[in-house]
């Protein structure tokens, strides 16, 4: 790790893509046990019984406050803040001047937080918000912030524990916990409950697109609340979810966890001088181009258009309005052909150069996994997060494809790098292959698409 800025690193390498393709980025691991039983049964639990996920450690948190905070944040976000109030959360997004996505995270309006609001997620959006707030404070705005890195990078415990309870038996577990029905809380709203005599906040949502809540409260209560939930869930077959199984939840919820950040245009020059180069991460996959914009995504490309409201002025509004009028791509699930997946795995056991290693349950070799998708030899989109779902016994990925590609169509994913990058995470001895895939909706499960948000 160095203190070199992103701007300086790009100048040194000559191209942002050259930097990101070859920059080493530590393997992203969740600071919980890899498996509590085995990741296959842990994955199945949120579809068949009930699962408990520990979200206390792996995300960055930015605590926010100040009388000018909403004004400043809304200036860089297409989200509406007209009805934002205590007890509500939203999926915050931000775009650059050209309307391309910088990143996303969950913004909690939590009166019990020391600063009132908390932004949680990967550091990508959080770093942009930090920079914006620093600049606003220097201009005299009343804004303040406190950064809490994840447990890999922080000394001491987090401010809050966060436990996700999910699955078809989650409501029965909560009935036992609360001595009555699960609380009637709207999607992405926060309510007050009591677990084992401790006051707890409950956010209605689910990491894998299944029924459930995220429970959070002061870290001092974490062990007591955790054990109380596990005891209540024992008769319903509750399973704790380890890091391996948890890493695959986006494939079922349909959330693209780390979209490529559009921070390489002229409007972001000052930000690139502020941001340390190692914070930008690395890009992996078969997508290659000399134009960084080929990696950019609009909110509409990956299903975040629902967060956009043109009820206020914000950075990038004019361009985003043009994207809204003519979306170029849409978010889908790609179901990988079983024979082609087997051939990739089999190549590891045969003489000659193997295909790029395909890991289970997740195949991710950089912070941004970007694989080219083709039809008829032409590029028609990008495959991002990829992995195996034990419940469906399918290898799949989330992708953004041209809008004329329909559900049920067959496309090809280019798997492997050519030329091979210098990242330590990518095996230097591999060949590029294609994997057939069938286009399906995202989220893949009908319940997650039709009932989950209701």
């Amino acid at each position: 790790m160095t203190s070199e800025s992103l701007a300086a690193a790009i100048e040194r390498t000559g191209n942002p893509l050259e930097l990101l393709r070859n920059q080493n980025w530590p393997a992203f691991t969740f600071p919980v046990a890899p498996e509590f039983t085995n990741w296959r049964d842990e994955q199945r639990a949120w579809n068949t019984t009930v699962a408990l996920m520990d979200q206390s450690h792996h995300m960055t948190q930015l605590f926010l406050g100040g009388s000018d905070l909403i004004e400043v944040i809304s200036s860089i976000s297409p989200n509406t803040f007209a009805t934002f109030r205590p007890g509500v959360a939203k999926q915050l997004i931000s775009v650059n001047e050209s309307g391309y996505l910088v990143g996303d995270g969950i913004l909690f309006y939590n009166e019990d937080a020391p600063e009132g609001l908390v932004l949680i997620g990967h550091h990508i959006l959080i770093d942009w918000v930090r920079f914006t707030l620093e600049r606003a404070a220097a201009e005299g705005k009343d804004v303040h912030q406190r950064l809490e890195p994840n447990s890999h990078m922080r000394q001491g415990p987090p401010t809050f524990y966060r436990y996700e309870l999910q699955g078809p038996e989650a409501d029965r577990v909560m009935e036992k916990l609360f001595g009555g029905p699960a609380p009637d809380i709207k999607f992405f709203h926060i309510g007050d409950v009591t677990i084992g005599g401790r006051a707890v906040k409950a956010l209605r949502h689910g990491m894998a697109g299944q029924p459930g809540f995220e429970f959070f409260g002061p870290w001092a209560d974490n062990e007591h609340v955790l054990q109380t939930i596990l005891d209540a869930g024992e008769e319903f077959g509750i399973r704790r979810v380890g890091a391996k199984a948890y890493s695959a939840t986006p494939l079922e919820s349909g959330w693209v966890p780390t979209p490529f950040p559009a921070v390489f245009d002229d409007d972001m020059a000052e930000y690139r001088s502020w941001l340390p180069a190692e914070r930008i991460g690395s890009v992996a996959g078969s997508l290659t181009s000399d134009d960084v914009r080929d990696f950019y995504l609009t909110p509409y490309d990956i299903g975040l258009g629902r967060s956009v409201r043109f009820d206020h002025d914000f950075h990038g509004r004019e361009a985003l309005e043009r994207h809204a009028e003519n979306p170029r791509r849409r978010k889908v699930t790609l179901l990988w052909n079983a024979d082609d997946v087997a051939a990739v795995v089999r190549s590891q056991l045969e003489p000659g150069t193997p295909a790029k290693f395909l890991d289970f349950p997740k195949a991710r070799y950089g912070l941004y996994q970007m694989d080219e998708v083709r039809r008829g030899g032409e590029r028609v989109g990008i495959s991002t997060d990829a992995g195996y779902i034990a419940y469906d016994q399918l290898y799949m990925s989330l992708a953004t494809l041209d809008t004329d590609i329909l559900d049920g169509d067959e496309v090809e994913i280019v798997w492997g790098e050519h030329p091979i990058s210098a990242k330590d995470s990518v095996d230097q001895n591999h060949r590029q292959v294609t994997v057939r895939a069938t286009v399906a909706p995202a989220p893949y499960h009908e319940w997650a698409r039709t009932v989950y948000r209701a």
Side-chain angles (χ1 to χ4, degrees):
M1 294 293 187
T2 71
S3 58
E4 183 184 33
S5 72
L6 177 57
I10 293 172
E11 184 176 0
R12 172 174 52 80
T13 57
N15 185 294
L17 293 173
E18 180 71 16
L19 172 70
L20 270 68
R21 273 182 55 80
N22 295 296
Q23 175 162 269
N24 278 317
W25 178 259
F28 188 82
T29 56
F30 299 89
V32 297
E35 298 167 288
F36 288 96
T37 50
N38 68 83
W39 62 261
R40 282 82 59 200
D41 286 338
E42 290 168 11
Q43 275 191 358
R44 293 186 182 101
W46 63 66
N47 282 295
T48 58
T49 54
V50 61
L52 181 70
M53 308 170 186
D54 187 347
Q55 300 171 295
S56 308
H57 300 286
H58 69 284
M59 288 293 185
T60 302
Q61 300 190 93
L62 186 66
F63 294 87
L64 304 165
S67 60
D68 294 323
L69 178 65
I70 297 299
E71 173 193 342
V72 174
I73 291 181
S74 65
S75 72
I76 61 166
S77 173
N79 293 84
T80 183
F81 289 86
T83 59
F84 195 47
R85 62 195 183 278
V88 174
K90 65 168 66 250
Q91 189 169 13
L92 186 75
I93 65 174
S94 187
V95 297
N96 74 356
E97 190 172 41
S98 300
Y100 292 105
L101 192 67
V102 174
D104 71 308
I106 305 301
L107 184 65
F108 291 74
Y109 202 140
N110 177 18
E111 290 179 301
D112 292 348
E115 289 85 356
L117 275 71
V118 188
L119 177 60
I120 300 175
H122 289 293
H123 65 279
I124 304 161
L125 174 64
I126 286 175
D127 284 341
W128 170 235
V129 171
R130 288 171 58 211
F131 167 77
T132 302
L133 294 178
E134 283 187 17
R135 188 168 54 180
E139 295 171 354
K141 295 291 186 181
D142 178 24
V143 292
H144 50 86
Q145 57 180 299
R146 175 173 65 89
L147 180 67
E148 185 173 284
N150 68 28
S151 292
H152 278 312
M153 304 177 68
R154 183 192 63 249
Q155 297 295 321
T159 299
F160 297 119
Y161 65 80
R162 297 186 183 276
Y163 298 127
E164 181 87 26
L165 190 70
Q166 273 207 279
E169 299 290 347
D171 279 358
R172 295 180 68 189
V173 176
M174 287 187 283
E175 287 176 5
K176 189 171 181 180
L177 282 171
F178 306 138
D184 184 15
I185 300 172
K186 293 181 180 179
F187 184 75
F188 255 47
H189 283 60
I190 304 168
D192 294 293
V193 299
T194 300
I195 296 179
R198 309 293 169 89
V200 174
K201 294 288 186 181
L203 171 69
R204 184 70 169 182
H205 88 130
M207 288 305 297
Q210 290 293 330
F213 279 91
E214 176 183 316
F215 299 117
F216 62 97
W219 179 254
D221 293 341
N222 83 93
E223 292 184 5
H224 177 76
V225 171
L226 173 63
Q227 193 58 53
T228 302
I229 296 173
L230 290 173
D231 289 346
E234 185 174 5
E235 67 175 287
F236 304 105
I238 193 169
R239 281 186 187 263
R240 293 191 68 179
V241 172
K244 286 187 174 182
Y246 182 84
S247 70
T249 56
L251 296 170
E252 294 192 54
S253 68
W255 171 61
V256 177
T258 53
F260 187 91
V263 299
F264 300 98
D265 291 356
D266 292 344
D267 62 312
M268 294 285 190
E270 188 179 348
Y271 175 59
R272 293 194 297 274
S273 294
W274 175 90
L275 186 70
E278 65 263 16
R279 298 283 292 181
I280 197 62
S282 64
V283 65
S286 60
L287 182 64
T288 57
S289 172
D290 293 327
D291 186 353
V292 71
R293 285 193 167 210
D294 287 338
F295 289 72
Y296 284 3
L297 305 164
T298 77
Y300 302 98
D301 290 345
I302 56 172
L304 295 177
R306 63 180 180 271
S307 296
V308 175
R309 296 290 184 277
F310 297 111
D311 61 357
H312 65 291
D313 290 328
F314 58 86
H315 185 70
R317 173 175 171 164
E318 184 178 341
L320 191 57
E321 286 180 315
R322 292 194 296 270
H323 290 310
E325 292 171 359
N326 187 28
R328 59 173 186 166
R329 288 179 177 161
R330 67 185 183 99
K331 181 178 67 173
V332 302
T333 302
L334 296 181
L335 307 180
W336 294 29
N337 179 277
D339 290 336
D340 291 355
V341 170
V344 171
V345 175
R346 189 176 63 246
S347 73
Q348 311 296 321
L349 307 172
E350 297 174 331
T353 302
K356 180 181 174 183
F357 188 76
L358 187 65
D359 213 349
F360 287 67
K362 285 297 286 293
R364 196 167 173 190
Y365 302 91
L367 187 59
Y368 320 107
Q369 184 70 34
M370 307 285 279
D371 290 302
E372 184 175 19
V373 181
R374 296 175 183 168
R375 186 175 69 168
E378 299 293 326
R379 181 187 299 167
V380 295
I382 303 169
S383 173
T384 62
D385 219 33
Y388 177 76
I389 300 300
Y391 176 72
D392 299 288
Q393 295 181 222
L394 289 170
Y395 217 95
M396 61 177 64
S397 61
L398 296 175
T400 180
L401 299 186
D402 293 350
T403 54
D404 62 344
I405 307 295
L406 305 178
D407 290 351
D409 286 354
E410 185 174 274
V411 295
E412 289 184 332
I413 301 161
V414 181
W415 182 247
E417 296 185 355
H418 182 74
I420 299 174
S421 65
K423 292 186 299 297
D424 291 342
S425 57
V426 174
D427 33 326
Q428 294 300 300
N429 181 43
H430 79 259
R431 57 185 167 88
Q432 205 171 61
V433 298
T434 57
V435 176
R436 289 167 292 173
T438 302
V439 180
Y444 175 61
H445 292 142
E446 183 179 5
W447 195 97
R449 293 196 307 275
T450 60
V451 181
Y452 166 55
R453 292 183 179 279

PDB file of all heavy atoms in Angstrom, residues 8 91 97 130 143 168:
ATOM      1  N   ALA A   8      -2.119  10.272  -9.911  1.00  0.00           N
ATOM      2  CA  ALA A   8      -0.696  10.035 -10.157  1.00  0.00           C
ATOM      3  C   ALA A   8      -0.467   8.634 -10.724  1.00  0.00           C
ATOM      4  O   ALA A   8       0.378   8.440 -11.605  1.00  0.00           O
ATOM      5  CB  ALA A   8       0.091  10.228  -8.875  1.00  0.00           C
ATOM      6  N   GLN A  91     -31.664   2.944  -0.929  1.00  0.00           N
ATOM      7  CA  GLN A  91     -30.477   2.534  -1.672  1.00  0.00           C
ATOM      8  C   GLN A  91     -29.938   3.771  -2.381  1.00  0.00           C
ATOM      9  O   GLN A  91     -30.426   4.166  -3.433  1.00  0.00           O
ATOM     10  CB  GLN A  91     -30.802   1.424  -2.663  1.00  0.00           C
ATOM     11  CG  GLN A  91     -29.563   0.818  -3.312  1.00  0.00           C
ATOM     12  CD  GLN A  91     -29.862  -0.443  -4.098  1.00  0.00           C
ATOM     13  OE1 GLN A  91     -31.015  -0.760  -4.376  1.00  0.00           O
ATOM     14  NE2 GLN A  91     -28.828  -1.185  -4.457  1.00  0.00           N
ATOM     15  N   GLU A  97     -20.983  13.246 -14.219  1.00  0.00           N
ATOM     16  CA  GLU A  97     -21.602  14.280 -15.038  1.00  0.00           C
ATOM     17  C   GLU A  97     -22.264  13.706 -16.293  1.00  0.00           C
ATOM     18  O   GLU A  97     -23.221  14.271 -16.822  1.00  0.00           O
ATOM     19  CB  GLU A  97     -20.548  15.313 -15.439  1.00  0.00           C
ATOM     20  CG  GLU A  97     -21.105  16.566 -16.086  1.00  0.00           C
ATOM     21  CD  GLU A  97     -20.041  17.621 -16.293  1.00  0.00           C
ATOM     22  OE1 GLU A  97     -18.913  17.258 -16.692  1.00  0.00           O
ATOM     23  OE2 GLU A  97     -20.331  18.802 -16.048  1.00  0.00           O
ATOM     24  N   ARG A 130     -17.439  10.932   1.022  1.00  0.00           N
ATOM     25  CA  ARG A 130     -16.470  11.551   1.944  1.00  0.00           C
ATOM     26  C   ARG A 130     -15.797  12.763   1.303  1.00  0.00           C
ATOM     27  O   ARG A 130     -15.685  13.826   1.917  1.00  0.00           O
ATOM     28  CB  ARG A 130     -15.398  10.534   2.342  1.00  0.00           C
ATOM     29  CG  ARG A 130     -15.864   9.433   3.286  1.00  0.00           C
ATOM     30  CD  ARG A 130     -14.774   8.381   3.426  1.00  0.00           C
ATOM     31  NE  ARG A 130     -13.537   8.953   3.915  1.00  0.00           N
ATOM     32  CZ  ARG A 130     -12.317   8.504   3.604  1.00  0.00           C
ATOM     33  NH1 ARG A 130     -12.181   7.480   2.770  1.00  0.00           N
ATOM     34  NH2 ARG A 130     -11.252   9.074   4.108  1.00  0.00           N
ATOM     35  N   VAL A 143     -21.685  20.107   7.811  1.00  0.00           N
ATOM     36  CA  VAL A 143     -21.707  18.668   7.595  1.00  0.00           C
ATOM     37  C   VAL A 143     -20.553  18.059   8.372  1.00  0.00           C
ATOM     38  O   VAL A 143     -19.503  18.677   8.532  1.00  0.00           O
ATOM     39  CB  VAL A 143     -21.574  18.291   6.099  1.00  0.00           C
ATOM     40  CG1 VAL A 143     -22.804  18.723   5.325  1.00  0.00           C
ATOM     41  CG2 VAL A 143     -20.325  18.905   5.482  1.00  0.00           C
ATOM     42  N   PRO A 168     -38.095 -19.020   4.462  1.00  0.00           N
ATOM     43  CA  PRO A 168     -39.538 -19.236   4.600  1.00  0.00           C
ATOM     44  C   PRO A 168     -39.993 -19.485   6.032  1.00  0.00           C
ATOM     45  O   PRO A 168     -41.177 -19.301   6.336  1.00  0.00           O
ATOM     46  CB  PRO A 168     -39.800 -20.464   3.710  1.00  0.00           C
ATOM     47  CG  PRO A 168     -38.468 -21.062   3.444  1.00  0.00           C
ATOM     48  CD  PRO A 168     -37.472 -19.975   3.538  1.00  0.00           C
TER      49      PRO A 168
END
